[in-house]
Amino acid sequence: MGLRALAVRGFRNLKEQELTFPKTTVAILGANGAGKTSLLEAVAVVGNLASFRPGSPLSWVQHGTAGFQLAATVVRGEAELPLLVVGRAGRRLHRQLFRGGRRLTAAEYLSLFPVAAFSPADRLLIWGGPEERRRFLDRLSFYLRPETYLVLQSYRQALRQRNAGLQRGAADPELEAFEQQLAVLGSRLLELRLAALAPLEHALVEELDALEWPLSRPILRYNDTDAASPGSSAEVAGRLRLALARSRRRERARAHTLVGPHRHDLELVLAGVPVREVVSAGQGKLLATALKLAAMAVLGRIRKYMPLVVFDDVDAELDGRALACVLRRLGGHGQVLVSSAHEAMILPYLKDAVVWQISDGVVHG
Protein backbone atom coordinates (compact mmCIF):
# COMPACT_ATOMS: atom_id res chain seq x y z
CA MET A 1 0.00 0.00 0.00
CA GLY A 2 1.35 3.43 -0.89
CA LEU A 3 0.73 6.92 -2.21
CA ARG A 4 1.64 7.47 -5.85
CA ALA A 5 0.38 11.02 -6.44
CA LEU A 6 -1.35 13.88 -4.68
CA ALA A 7 -2.93 17.03 -6.12
CA VAL A 8 -3.51 19.81 -3.60
CA ARG A 9 -5.75 22.85 -3.89
CA GLY A 10 -6.78 25.30 -1.18
CA PHE A 11 -5.25 23.36 1.72
CA ARG A 12 -3.53 25.26 4.55
CA ASN A 13 -0.58 27.29 3.24
CA LEU A 14 0.21 24.95 0.34
CA LYS A 15 0.20 26.35 -3.17
CA GLU A 16 -1.82 24.46 -5.76
CA GLN A 17 0.41 21.67 -7.05
CA GLU A 18 0.64 18.03 -8.06
CA LEU A 19 3.22 15.73 -6.49
CA THR A 20 4.48 12.27 -7.39
CA PHE A 21 5.78 10.22 -4.47
CA PRO A 22 8.58 7.65 -4.57
CA LYS A 23 8.10 4.31 -2.85
CA THR A 24 10.87 4.93 -0.33
CA THR A 25 11.67 7.40 2.46
CA VAL A 26 11.28 11.10 1.64
CA ALA A 27 12.91 13.76 3.81
CA ILE A 28 10.94 17.01 3.57
CA LEU A 29 13.12 19.94 4.62
CA GLY A 30 12.44 23.63 5.03
CA ALA A 31 12.26 26.51 7.43
CA ASN A 32 9.48 26.88 9.98
CA GLY A 33 6.29 27.98 8.23
CA ALA A 34 7.46 26.73 4.83
CA GLY A 35 4.66 24.17 4.55
CA LYS A 36 6.27 20.94 5.79
CA THR A 37 3.59 20.19 8.36
CA SER A 38 0.82 21.22 5.95
CA LEU A 39 2.05 18.74 3.34
CA LEU A 40 2.18 15.84 5.81
CA GLU A 41 -1.17 16.94 7.19
CA ALA A 42 -2.69 16.81 3.70
CA VAL A 43 -1.49 13.21 3.34
CA ALA A 44 -2.91 12.33 6.77
CA VAL A 45 -6.28 13.89 5.91
CA VAL A 46 -6.44 11.96 2.64
CA GLY A 47 -5.87 8.73 4.54
CA ASN A 48 -7.49 9.26 7.93
CA LEU A 49 -9.87 12.22 7.43
CA ALA A 50 -8.13 13.63 10.48
CA SER A 51 -5.04 15.65 11.24
CA PHE A 52 -2.26 14.89 13.68
CA ARG A 53 -2.30 18.58 14.58
CA PRO A 54 -4.86 19.69 17.22
CA GLY A 55 -7.48 22.18 16.09
CA SER A 56 -10.65 22.54 14.08
CA PRO A 57 -10.87 20.93 10.61
CA LEU A 58 -11.93 24.39 9.39
CA SER A 59 -8.27 25.36 9.77
CA TRP A 60 -7.49 23.08 6.82
CA VAL A 61 -9.22 25.55 4.51
CA GLN A 62 -6.76 28.06 3.10
CA HIS A 63 -7.45 31.66 4.10
CA GLY A 64 -9.48 33.46 1.47
CA THR A 65 -10.86 30.30 -0.15
CA ALA A 66 -14.19 28.51 0.19
CA GLY A 67 -12.71 25.04 0.54
CA PHE A 68 -10.04 22.57 -0.50
CA GLN A 69 -9.54 19.50 -2.64
CA LEU A 70 -7.10 16.65 -2.08
CA ALA A 71 -6.97 14.20 -4.98
CA ALA A 72 -4.76 11.15 -4.45
CA THR A 73 -3.77 8.06 -6.36
CA VAL A 74 -3.22 5.20 -3.94
CA VAL A 75 -1.71 1.83 -4.82
CA ARG A 76 -3.02 -1.34 -3.16
CA GLY A 77 -1.40 -4.46 -4.53
CA GLU A 78 -1.73 -4.22 -8.29
CA ALA A 79 -4.69 -1.83 -8.16
CA GLU A 80 -4.75 1.96 -8.27
CA LEU A 81 -7.42 3.74 -6.22
CA PRO A 82 -8.34 7.32 -7.14
CA LEU A 83 -9.42 9.07 -3.94
CA LEU A 84 -10.82 12.56 -3.51
CA VAL A 85 -11.53 14.56 -0.36
CA VAL A 86 -13.46 17.80 -0.87
CA GLY A 87 -13.88 20.19 2.04
CA ARG A 88 -16.22 23.17 2.11
CA ALA A 89 -16.14 25.83 4.82
CA GLY A 90 -19.30 26.72 6.72
CA ARG A 91 -20.19 26.78 10.38
CA ARG A 92 -18.28 23.50 10.33
CA LEU A 93 -16.32 21.69 7.63
CA HIS A 94 -18.54 19.89 5.14
CA ARG A 95 -16.80 16.89 3.57
CA GLN A 96 -17.43 14.88 0.43
CA LEU A 97 -15.51 11.66 -0.11
CA PHE A 98 -15.05 9.83 -3.38
CA ARG A 99 -13.41 6.72 -4.76
CA GLY A 100 -13.35 7.31 -8.48
CA GLY A 101 -16.79 8.69 -9.29
CA ARG A 102 -18.53 6.96 -6.36
CA ARG A 103 -19.31 8.92 -3.24
CA LEU A 104 -18.49 7.10 -0.01
CA THR A 105 -19.46 7.30 3.63
CA ALA A 106 -16.70 7.90 6.16
CA ALA A 107 -16.91 4.27 7.29
CA GLU A 108 -16.41 3.06 3.70
CA TYR A 109 -13.61 5.52 3.00
CA LEU A 110 -11.48 5.10 6.12
CA SER A 111 -10.44 1.52 5.42
CA LEU A 112 -8.97 2.36 1.98
CA PHE A 113 -5.72 4.15 2.85
CA PRO A 114 -4.73 4.23 6.51
CA VAL A 115 -1.86 6.56 7.35
CA ALA A 116 0.29 6.20 10.46
CA ALA A 117 0.80 9.79 11.59
CA PHE A 118 3.54 10.74 14.06
CA SER A 119 4.05 14.28 15.34
CA PRO A 120 4.96 16.34 18.42
CA ALA A 121 1.28 16.05 19.41
CA ASP A 122 1.94 12.38 20.21
CA ARG A 123 3.04 13.59 23.63
CA LEU A 124 -0.69 13.63 24.41
CA LEU A 125 -0.63 9.82 24.42
CA ILE A 126 1.59 10.11 27.49
CA TRP A 127 0.58 13.39 29.13
CA GLY A 128 -2.86 14.05 27.66
CA GLY A 129 -6.28 13.02 28.90
CA PRO A 130 -7.87 9.56 28.51
CA GLU A 131 -9.69 10.63 25.34
CA GLU A 132 -6.38 10.73 23.44
CA ARG A 133 -5.55 7.14 24.33
CA ARG A 134 -9.11 5.95 23.73
CA ARG A 135 -8.99 7.52 20.27
CA PHE A 136 -5.71 5.75 19.53
CA LEU A 137 -7.06 2.36 20.63
CA ASP A 138 -10.37 2.85 18.80
CA ARG A 139 -8.56 3.66 15.56
CA LEU A 140 -6.49 0.49 15.84
CA SER A 141 -9.67 -1.45 16.67
CA PHE A 142 -11.32 -0.05 13.55
CA TYR A 143 -8.48 -1.09 11.25
CA LEU A 144 -8.54 -4.58 12.74
CA ARG A 145 -12.35 -4.81 12.85
CA PRO A 146 -14.17 -2.17 10.75
CA GLU A 147 -17.32 -2.91 12.73
CA THR A 148 -15.78 -0.69 15.44
CA TYR A 149 -16.75 2.48 13.57
CA LEU A 150 -20.48 1.75 13.54
CA VAL A 151 -20.46 0.40 17.10
CA LEU A 152 -18.73 3.56 18.30
CA GLN A 153 -21.09 5.84 16.38
CA SER A 154 -24.13 4.02 17.72
CA TYR A 155 -22.75 4.12 21.26
CA ARG A 156 -22.15 7.87 21.02
CA GLN A 157 -25.69 8.42 19.72
CA ALA A 158 -27.19 6.46 22.61
CA LEU A 159 -24.95 8.38 25.01
CA ARG A 160 -26.16 11.73 23.63
CA GLN A 161 -29.77 10.60 23.99
CA ARG A 162 -29.29 9.53 27.60
CA ASN A 163 -27.46 12.76 28.44
CA ALA A 164 -30.29 14.74 26.90
CA GLY A 165 -32.75 12.76 29.00
CA LEU A 166 -30.75 13.49 32.14
CA GLN A 167 -30.71 17.19 31.31
CA ARG A 168 -34.48 17.44 30.85
CA GLY A 169 -35.30 15.23 33.85
CA ALA A 170 -36.64 12.24 31.93
CA ALA A 171 -38.43 9.54 33.90
CA ASP A 172 -36.63 6.34 34.87
CA PRO A 173 -38.29 4.09 32.24
CA GLU A 174 -37.01 6.34 29.42
CA LEU A 175 -33.50 6.38 30.87
CA GLU A 176 -33.61 2.61 31.32
CA ALA A 177 -34.26 2.19 27.60
CA PHE A 178 -31.16 4.20 26.75
CA GLU A 179 -29.19 2.30 29.39
CA GLN A 180 -30.07 -0.99 27.72
CA GLN A 181 -28.66 0.30 24.42
CA LEU A 182 -25.57 1.72 26.10
CA ALA A 183 -24.93 -1.54 27.92
CA VAL A 184 -25.16 -3.72 24.81
CA LEU A 185 -23.14 -1.35 22.62
CA GLY A 186 -20.66 -0.65 25.39
CA SER A 187 -20.10 -4.36 25.91
CA ARG A 188 -19.29 -4.83 22.22
CA LEU A 189 -17.03 -1.76 22.15
CA LEU A 190 -15.15 -3.02 25.18
CA GLU A 191 -14.74 -6.42 23.52
CA LEU A 192 -13.32 -4.83 20.36
CA ARG A 193 -10.90 -2.64 22.33
CA LEU A 194 -9.57 -5.54 24.38
CA ALA A 195 -9.14 -7.64 21.22
CA ALA A 196 -6.92 -4.88 19.79
CA LEU A 197 -5.04 -4.40 23.04
CA ALA A 198 -3.87 -8.01 23.34
CA PRO A 199 -1.54 -8.01 20.29
CA LEU A 200 -0.59 -4.38 20.94
CA GLU A 201 0.94 -5.29 24.31
CA HIS A 202 3.20 -7.90 22.72
CA ALA A 203 4.20 -5.63 19.84
CA LEU A 204 5.05 -2.76 22.19
CA VAL A 205 7.68 -4.89 23.95
CA GLU A 206 9.35 -5.60 20.60
CA GLU A 207 9.31 -1.95 19.54
CA LEU A 208 10.77 -0.74 22.83
CA ASP A 209 13.60 -3.24 22.47
CA ALA A 210 14.25 -2.10 18.89
CA LEU A 211 14.31 1.55 19.99
CA GLU A 212 16.72 0.76 22.85
CA TRP A 213 14.29 1.94 25.50
CA PRO A 214 16.49 3.06 28.43
CA LEU A 215 14.15 2.28 31.36
CA SER A 216 12.31 -0.79 32.56
CA ARG A 217 9.44 -1.85 30.34
CA PRO A 218 6.16 -0.06 30.99
CA ILE A 219 2.96 -2.04 31.44
CA LEU A 220 0.08 -1.30 29.08
CA ARG A 221 -3.31 -1.95 30.61
CA TYR A 222 -6.96 -1.10 30.08
CA ASN A 223 -8.53 0.79 32.98
CA ASP A 224 -12.16 -0.31 33.09
CA THR A 225 -13.44 2.20 35.63
CA ASP A 226 -16.81 0.48 36.08
CA ALA A 227 -15.35 -3.03 36.48
CA ALA A 228 -17.51 -4.40 33.67
CA SER A 229 -14.91 -6.87 32.33
CA PRO A 230 -13.95 -9.66 32.05
CA GLY A 231 -16.77 -11.99 31.06
CA SER A 232 -19.07 -12.88 28.19
CA SER A 233 -20.80 -10.15 26.21
CA ALA A 234 -24.01 -10.73 28.14
CA GLU A 235 -22.20 -10.61 31.49
CA VAL A 236 -20.36 -7.39 30.62
CA ALA A 237 -23.56 -5.79 29.32
CA GLY A 238 -25.32 -6.78 32.52
CA ARG A 239 -22.63 -5.20 34.68
CA LEU A 240 -22.68 -2.02 32.61
CA ARG A 241 -26.46 -1.77 32.87
CA LEU A 242 -26.31 -2.28 36.62
CA ALA A 243 -23.57 0.35 36.96
CA LEU A 244 -25.64 2.83 34.94
CA ALA A 245 -28.72 2.21 37.11
CA ARG A 246 -26.73 2.66 40.31
CA SER A 247 -25.18 5.86 39.03
CA ARG A 248 -28.43 7.37 37.75
CA ARG A 249 -29.21 9.50 40.80
CA ARG A 250 -25.72 11.03 40.84
CA GLU A 251 -25.85 11.56 37.07
CA ARG A 252 -29.18 13.37 37.27
CA ALA A 253 -27.47 15.96 39.45
CA ARG A 254 -24.63 16.34 36.94
CA ALA A 255 -26.77 15.89 33.79
CA HIS A 256 -24.06 13.69 32.33
CA THR A 257 -23.38 9.95 32.03
CA LEU A 258 -20.44 9.00 34.22
CA VAL A 259 -20.35 5.25 33.55
CA GLY A 260 -19.25 3.39 30.42
CA PRO A 261 -16.45 2.93 27.87
CA HIS A 262 -16.43 6.67 27.11
CA ARG A 263 -14.83 7.07 30.56
CA HIS A 264 -12.25 4.27 30.28
CA ASP A 265 -8.51 4.77 29.84
CA LEU A 266 -5.52 3.01 28.30
CA GLU A 267 -2.87 3.29 30.98
CA LEU A 268 0.93 3.11 30.77
CA VAL A 269 2.53 2.25 34.08
CA LEU A 270 6.22 2.07 34.99
CA ALA A 271 7.18 0.38 38.26
CA GLY A 272 3.65 0.93 39.53
CA VAL A 273 3.63 4.65 38.67
CA PRO A 274 1.96 6.33 35.66
CA VAL A 275 4.70 6.91 33.08
CA ARG A 276 3.78 10.58 32.72
CA GLU A 277 5.11 11.11 36.24
CA VAL A 278 8.56 9.60 35.66
CA VAL A 279 9.66 10.03 32.04
CA SER A 280 11.46 12.97 30.45
CA ALA A 281 10.19 14.78 27.35
CA GLY A 282 12.51 12.74 25.13
CA GLN A 283 11.58 9.45 26.79
CA GLY A 284 7.90 10.32 26.48
CA LYS A 285 8.25 10.94 22.77
CA LEU A 286 10.18 7.70 22.34
CA LEU A 287 7.49 5.77 24.20
CA ALA A 288 4.67 7.37 22.19
CA THR A 289 6.57 6.55 19.00
CA ALA A 290 6.99 2.94 20.13
CA LEU A 291 3.26 2.73 20.84
CA LYS A 292 2.39 3.87 17.33
CA LEU A 293 5.00 1.61 15.76
CA ALA A 294 3.49 -1.26 17.74
CA ALA A 295 0.06 -0.47 16.26
CA MET A 296 1.62 -0.58 12.79
CA ALA A 297 3.22 -3.94 13.56
CA VAL A 298 -0.15 -5.33 14.67
CA LEU A 299 -1.73 -4.24 11.39
CA GLY A 300 1.10 -5.83 9.44
CA ARG A 301 0.71 -9.15 11.21
CA ILE A 302 -3.06 -9.37 11.30
CA ARG A 303 -4.23 -7.42 8.25
CA LYS A 304 -1.09 -8.05 6.14
CA TYR A 305 -0.48 -4.47 5.10
CA MET A 306 1.74 -1.64 6.29
CA PRO A 307 0.34 1.90 6.30
CA LEU A 308 2.23 4.83 4.88
CA VAL A 309 4.07 6.78 7.60
CA VAL A 310 4.18 10.55 8.02
CA PHE A 311 6.40 11.88 10.82
CA ASP A 312 6.36 15.63 11.40
CA ASP A 313 9.37 17.24 13.12
CA VAL A 314 10.95 13.85 13.52
CA ASP A 315 14.00 15.16 15.38
CA ALA A 316 12.06 17.20 17.98
CA GLU A 317 12.88 16.20 21.58
CA LEU A 318 15.04 13.22 20.52
CA ASP A 319 18.76 13.01 21.12
CA GLY A 320 21.04 11.63 18.43
CA ARG A 321 20.93 8.04 19.65
CA ALA A 322 17.14 7.94 19.96
CA LEU A 323 16.71 9.65 16.58
CA ALA A 324 19.00 7.11 14.94
CA CYS A 325 16.94 4.25 16.44
CA VAL A 326 13.65 5.77 15.29
CA LEU A 327 14.81 6.44 11.74
CA ARG A 328 16.40 3.00 11.48
CA ARG A 329 13.14 1.42 12.63
CA LEU A 330 11.08 3.48 10.18
CA GLY A 331 13.41 2.43 7.37
CA GLY A 332 11.89 -1.03 7.38
CA HIS A 333 8.32 0.20 7.01
CA GLY A 334 8.07 0.97 3.29
CA GLN A 335 6.91 4.44 2.26
CA VAL A 336 7.85 7.03 4.89
CA LEU A 337 7.58 10.84 4.80
CA VAL A 338 9.53 12.70 7.48
CA SER A 339 9.92 16.43 7.97
CA SER A 340 12.49 18.56 9.73
CA ALA A 341 13.80 22.11 9.83
CA HIS A 342 17.25 20.76 10.70
CA GLU A 343 18.83 19.15 7.67
CA ALA A 344 22.09 18.36 9.44
CA MET A 345 20.21 16.51 12.20
CA ILE A 346 18.44 13.91 10.08
CA LEU A 347 20.23 13.44 6.75
CA PRO A 348 23.17 11.53 8.28
CA TYR A 349 20.64 8.85 9.25
CA LEU A 350 18.82 8.88 5.89
CA LYS A 351 21.52 7.95 3.39
CA ASP A 352 19.11 6.49 0.84
CA ALA A 353 16.24 8.94 1.25
CA VAL A 354 14.85 11.18 -1.44
CA VAL A 355 15.20 14.81 -0.33
CA TRP A 356 12.54 17.43 -1.01
CA GLN A 357 12.89 21.09 -0.12
CA ILE A 358 9.79 23.14 0.55
CA SER A 359 9.43 26.92 0.72
CA ASP A 360 6.41 29.22 0.55
CA GLY A 361 4.13 26.19 0.29
CA VAL A 362 5.82 24.78 -2.84
CA VAL A 363 7.75 21.50 -2.99
CA HIS A 364 11.02 21.38 -4.91
CA GLY A 365 12.09 17.81 -5.55
Side-chain angles (χ1 to χ4, degrees):
M1 182 180 298
L3 178 62
R4 177 162 294 171
L6 177 65
V8 182
R9 187 172 72 191
F11 190 89
R12 287 278 192 185
N13 67 338
L14 297 175
K15 299 294 194 300
E16 185 172 344
Q17 59 198 295
E18 296 184 12
L19 301 169
T20 301
F21 291 80
K23 296 179 181 179
T24 185
T25 299
V26 180
I28 302 167
L29 307 173
N32 291 331
K36 303 183 303 297
T37 299
S38 294
L39 177 57
L40 297 188
E41 191 174 19
V43 175
V45 170
V46 165
N48 301 338
L49 304 180
S51 172
F52 49 79
R53 178 162 44 182
S56 167
L58 284 172
S59 65
W60 304 343
V61 178
Q62 196 170 94
H63 181 70
T65 68
F68 66 83
Q69 287 192 13
L70 300 171
T73 302
V74 171
V75 179
R76 292 191 61 159
E78 300 299 319
E80 285 192 353
L81 307 181
L83 303 180
L84 176 63
V85 179
V86 178
R88 292 282 180 264
R91 293 184 63 182
R92 59 183 180 85
L93 184 73
H94 300 276
R95 289 182 319 207
Q96 293 182 320
L97 313 172
F98 299 90
R99 175 182 174 179
R102 178 170 172 256
R103 188 168 178 177
L104 304 180
T105 65
E108 292 172 319
Y109 184 96
L110 281 168
S111 62
L112 297 176
F113 178 49
V115 171
F118 299 71
S119 79
D122 292 343
R123 71 185 313 277
L124 296 175
L125 286 173
I126 309 301
W127 289 286
E131 65 277 3
E132 300 293 338
R133 293 177 289 277
R134 286 196 301 267
R135 188 178 299 116
F136 165 77
L137 185 57
D138 286 340
R139 185 169 288 273
L140 175 60
S141 299
F142 166 75
Y143 287 133
L144 295 176
R145 299 287 296 271
E147 170 198 355
T148 302
Y149 184 92
L150 295 179
V151 171
L152 191 56
Q153 293 296 100
S154 298
Y155 178 86
R156 288 171 175 166
Q157 181 179 4
L159 182 64
R160 286 192 296 269
Q161 290 172 327
R162 185 175 188 270
N163 285 341
L166 290 170
Q167 290 164 13
R168 68 173 185 273
D172 283 350
E174 182 179 353
L175 294 180
E176 287 170 2
F178 295 137
E179 290 164 8
Q180 173 65 20
Q181 295 178 55
L182 279 174
V184 172
L185 292 166
S187 170
R188 183 55 181 155
L189 180 57
L190 185 54
E191 185 178 7
L192 290 165
R193 285 177 175 175
L194 293 177
L197 180 60
L200 184 66
E201 292 177 285
H202 177 72
L204 179 61
V205 171
E206 294 182 347
E207 295 303 327
L208 288 172
D209 288 345
L211 295 178
E212 300 179 9
W213 175 248
L215 305 177
S216 58
R217 289 173 180 166
I219 296 172
L220 186 64
R221 67 188 185 195
Y222 191 88
N223 184 2
D224 176 359
T225 52
D226 28 64
S229 62
S232 67
S233 297
E235 289 170 338
V236 172
R239 292 193 199 106
L240 282 173
R241 188 174 182 183
L242 181 60
L244 285 162
R246 286 174 173 171
S247 184
R248 193 184 304 150
R249 182 175 179 180
R250 181 166 57 106
E251 291 171 340
R252 282 188 183 280
R254 299 194 184 186
H256 187 75
T257 302
L258 303 174
V259 171
H262 63 288
R263 304 279 292 186
H264 295 175
D265 197 359
L266 179 63
E267 295 184 331
L268 285 154
V269 179
L270 191 62
V273 179
V275 294
R276 63 179 176 272
E277 297 181 11
V278 296
V279 297
S280 66
Q283 291 165 346
K285 177 167 183 176
L286 195 62
L287 179 55
T289 299
L291 197 57
K292 287 198 163 184
L293 287 171
M296 289 175 56
V298 170
L299 287 180
R301 289 169 187 160
I302 297 178
R303 296 302 301 273
K304 308 303 181 186
Y305 66 74
M306 195 61 67
L308 176 147
V309 174
V310 298
F311 203 137
D312 190 39
D313 282 340
V314 66
D315 53 298
E317 297 182 325
L318 295 178
D319 60 26
R321 179 177 178 178
L323 179 61
C325 289
V326 168
L327 291 176
R328 182 172 62 246
R329 194 65 175 160
L330 289 174
H333 285 291
Q335 196 175 31
V336 178
L337 312 178
V338 301
S339 76
S340 176
H342 309 105
E343 182 173 334
M345 283 284 292
I346 69 167
L347 288 189
Y349 305 112
L350 297 173
K351 300 294 186 182
D352 299 321
V354 173
V355 177
W356 286 358
Q357 297 286 341
I358 187 168
S359 59
D360 296 322
V362 179
V363 173
H364 308 279

